[in-house]
């Protein structure tokens, strides 16, 4: 039987720069509909969640492609969230969109139904706007979209985090533009009434941590949130693919750049994937070494992705979808429109694992899950 827990989660991003009387307020995130006296609290360590016995709890998530038209029906199947919870994940990061077009379906009824299903499985939900990936403009579009949903999502706040925009900002985005646009986005979302945690991806397609760390730029964002909230409630997210290595060999180092930042601010590895040869992301992270660091340093992480999140990957000769960063089995049942060159139907199975999944899941349990 699953435990019903009450989680109090505040991301203590300004612990290093605020006096004690200005430490971040704690906001309640409730897991399950019938919480027991057991509950989780944030202690004085940056970004660490603990229970009443001072046992540390860390965020362990997986991306779910809910917003794509080709994956939405499959993502809504009950067994998806059931399996995710059984593996030991405690949150899902949800692909969503500010627009409704041939690629995305952002039907609000679908989203709230999915959130209800996640709550029933004691999973937190992190929402992200995926259609602004790599853009240098229109961040305010995402902020205004989330603001418009406040009447519909306000009663879910105890279960939600909002990742304002997935990988907003490419490698050419000026740092001052990145900071000023996120400051305005924070103001828009807070003015709508949200008190839940906001998650901000690094620039450079989510990989360039220096957008946050150079001259402690992240503090400007925390200060903006503090002005709106009284106390900030932000988490900073870095995605780890080809630019990252465990120690050396990449532009950024997990052992140095990320762990140094973790000492200062609440951070999340918002995406990581398979380093299989031929992976288009050219990951340099040896998965076993990476998972050992995640466990040793109690790092918040999110796996990319439950079933691909990009159904357009396919092999023209075999007509089969390629094995890239998938956690579960690559689907056998999909339809591809030869004229549009797009997958128009995409179903996945949750009882099988790819090689990537088998490294993460052993004995039907996520190897970095809490005991």
């Amino acid at each position: 039987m699953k435990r019903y827990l009450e989680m109090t989660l505040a991301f203590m991003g300004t612990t290093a720069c605020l006096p004690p009387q200005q430490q971040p307020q704690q906001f309640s995130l409730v897991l399950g509909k019938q919480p027991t006296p057991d509950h989780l609290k944030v202690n004085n360590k940056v970004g660490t969640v603990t229970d009443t016995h001072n046992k540390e709890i860390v965020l362990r998530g997986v991306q779910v492609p809910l917003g794509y038209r080709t994956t939405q029906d499959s993502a809504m199947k009950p067994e998806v969230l059931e399996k995710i919870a059984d593996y030991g994940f405690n949150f899902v990061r949800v692909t969503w969109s500010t627009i409704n077009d041939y690629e995305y379906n952002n039907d609000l009824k679908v989203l709230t139904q999915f959130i209800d299903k996640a709550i029933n499985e004691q999973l937190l939900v992190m929402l992200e706007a995926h259609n602004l990936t790599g853009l240098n403009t229109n961040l305010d579009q995402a902020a205004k979209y989330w603001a418009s949903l406040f009447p519909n999502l306000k009663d879910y706040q105890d279960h939600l985090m909002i990742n304002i925009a997935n990988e907003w900002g490419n490698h050419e985005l000026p740092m001052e533009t990145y900071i000023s646009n996120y400051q305005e986005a924070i103001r828009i979302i807070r003015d709508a009434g949200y008190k839940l945690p906001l998650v901000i991806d690094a620039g450079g397609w989510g990989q360039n941590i220096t957008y946050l760390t150079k001259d402690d730029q992240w503090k400007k964002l925390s200060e903006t949130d503090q002005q709106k909230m009284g106390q900030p409630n932000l988490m900073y997210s870095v995605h780890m693919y080809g630019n990252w290595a465990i120690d050396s060999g990449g532009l950024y180092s997990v052992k140095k750049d990320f762990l140094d930042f973790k000492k200062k601010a609440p951070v999340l590895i918002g995406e990581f994937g398979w380093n299989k040869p031929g992976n288009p992301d050219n990951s340099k992270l040896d998965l076993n070494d990476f998972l050992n660091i995640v466990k040793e340093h109690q790092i918040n992480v999110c796996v990319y992705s439950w079933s691909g999140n990009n159904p357009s990957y396919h092999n023209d000769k075999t007509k089969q979808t390629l094995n890239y960063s998938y956690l579960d089995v690559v689907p056998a049942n999909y339809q591809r429109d030869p004229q549009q060159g797009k997958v128009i139907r995409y179903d996945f199975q949750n009882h099988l694992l790819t090689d990537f999944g088998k490294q993460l899941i052993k004995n039907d349990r996520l190897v970095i899950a809490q005991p």
Side-chain angles (χ1 to χ4, degrees), residues 42 46-47 66 75 78 87 114 134 137 152 165 174 201 229 242 247 249 268 278 299 305 311-312 347 350 352 367:
V42 172
V46 173
L66 181 67
Y87 278 155
F114 183 87
T137 59
N152 306 96
D201 286 359
M229 295 279 291
D247 196 357
L268 165 76
I299 297 171
S305 171
S312 63
D347 293 319
N350 299 295
L352 299 174
V367 296

Side-chain angles (χ1 to χ4, degrees), residues 273-274 276-281 313-314 322-326 330 354 356:
W274 200 5
K276 175 182 181 294
N279 186 319
D281 299 309
Y313 289 155
H314 66 279
L322 296 178
N323 252 1
Y324 285 127
S325 59
Y326 303 95
V330 175
T354 60
F356 175 58

Side-chain angles (χ1 to χ4, degrees), residues 3-8 28 30-41 50-54:
R3 287 196 306 150
Y4 291 95
L5 301 174
E6 180 180 346
M7 174 181 283
T8 302
S28 177
V30 181
L31 298 185
K33 294 185 176 180
Q34 300 173 349
T36 70
D38 291 332
H39 59 283
L40 309 179
K41 293 182 178 179
T50 64
D51 64 15
T52 52
H53 303 291
N54 206 36

Side-chain angles (χ1 to χ4, degrees), residues 24 46 158 178 244 246 252 349 366:
V46 173
D158 289 346
Y178 171 86
W244 282 84
I246 298 293
Y252 316 112
Q349 306 164 45
L366 179 68

Side-chain angles (χ1 to χ4, degrees), residues 41-62:
K41 293 182 178 179
V42 172
N43 68 8
N44 291 328
K45 294 182 180 180
V46 173
T48 300
V49 183
T50 64
D51 64 15
T52 52
H53 303 291
N54 206 36
K55 179 181 177 182
E56 292 189 0
I57 307 296
V58 291
L59 296 175
R60 298 286 187 245
V62 63

